[in-house]
Amino acid sequence: MLGPAQSASAIPTQNADSNCDYRSCPTGYGGQLHLHYNSKENDGYYSGTASFYGNVTNYAGETYGHNGGANPVHYKFVFGKNSAGLNGPGTGQAVKNNAASVENCSPWDAYRIYFNSGYQGSSQYFNHTNGSHLCAGGVHVNLNATLKNNNASQHFA
């Protein structure tokens, strides 16, 4: 998880490059969908990366209430370090409408990425990795021309 960001509201805002940092994702399960700032041809693996498990209604971020909702925090989704653990192109940039390529690291779950928030508009399907929890066999795919840098949500397919 990345550091805090400034917020004008009473709810604190924090940058996050994964929703598993504050939500309960299945233990030992590598079922995240990895979004890369750059396309495959432009060293996508070495650009900023964000990883999300499950449904994400808006890549801009979400407010999540800790301790039964008593302590909400707004998590702003940004690209984090690349697969080598280094800052790459796009690190710190907003995820919404900035992803160029994707890798589905889920051994069992397929995903869809949508043009609009709330799982609306044009979409692209990404199949699962056939049982590998380490993303071995995962295919790094460019987003199609409609969704490249125009992506706002994801859902289990």
Side-chain angles (χ1 to χ4, degrees):
M1 186 175 299
L2 302 175
Q6 292 182 348
S7 174
S9 69
I11 297 175
T13 298
Q14 186 165 342
N15 289 343
D17 60 4
S18 172
N19 62 352
C20 286
D21 290 338
Y22 59 89
R23 288 188 173 265
S24 296
C25 292
T27 305
Y29 181 72
Q32 292 93 359
L33 186 70
H34 297 286
L35 285 81
H36 301 281
Y37 182 78
N38 281 346
S39 61
K40 291 183 342 180
E41 298 78 18
N42 291 315
D43 293 326
Y45 278 122
Y46 300 104
S47 65
T49 301
S51 302
F52 301 109
Y53 175 77
N55 302 333
V56 178
T57 191
N58 190 343
Y59 283 150
E62 73 176 338
T63 299
Y64 184 77
H66 297 274
N67 300 324
N71 300 310
V73 174
H74 180 74
Y75 291 93
K76 177 183 173 189
F77 296 144
V78 298
F79 288 100
K81 295 184 179 193
N82 63 25
S83 59
L86 303 171
N87 289 328
T91 299
Q93 296 293 315
V95 172
K96 186 172 184 176
N97 296 327
N98 279 316
S101 60
V102 173
E103 184 178 21
N104 183 357
C105 291
S106 175
W108 302 284
D109 300 314
Y111 284 96
R112 258 189 199 286
I113 290 184
Y114 292 86
F115 185 84
N116 293 323
S117 299
Y119 326 119
Q120 300 294 313
S122 295
S123 68
Q124 186 174 349
Y125 176 83
F126 299 94
N127 203 5
H128 58 79
T129 60
N130 295 311
S132 175
H133 72 281
L134 300 175
C135 208
V139 178
H140 187 193
V141 177
N142 285 333
L143 287 163
N144 63 36
T146 301
L147 296 176
K148 181 179 179 181
N149 298 323
N150 286 301
N151 35 70
S153 60
Q154 75 181 48
H155 199 281
F156 283 130

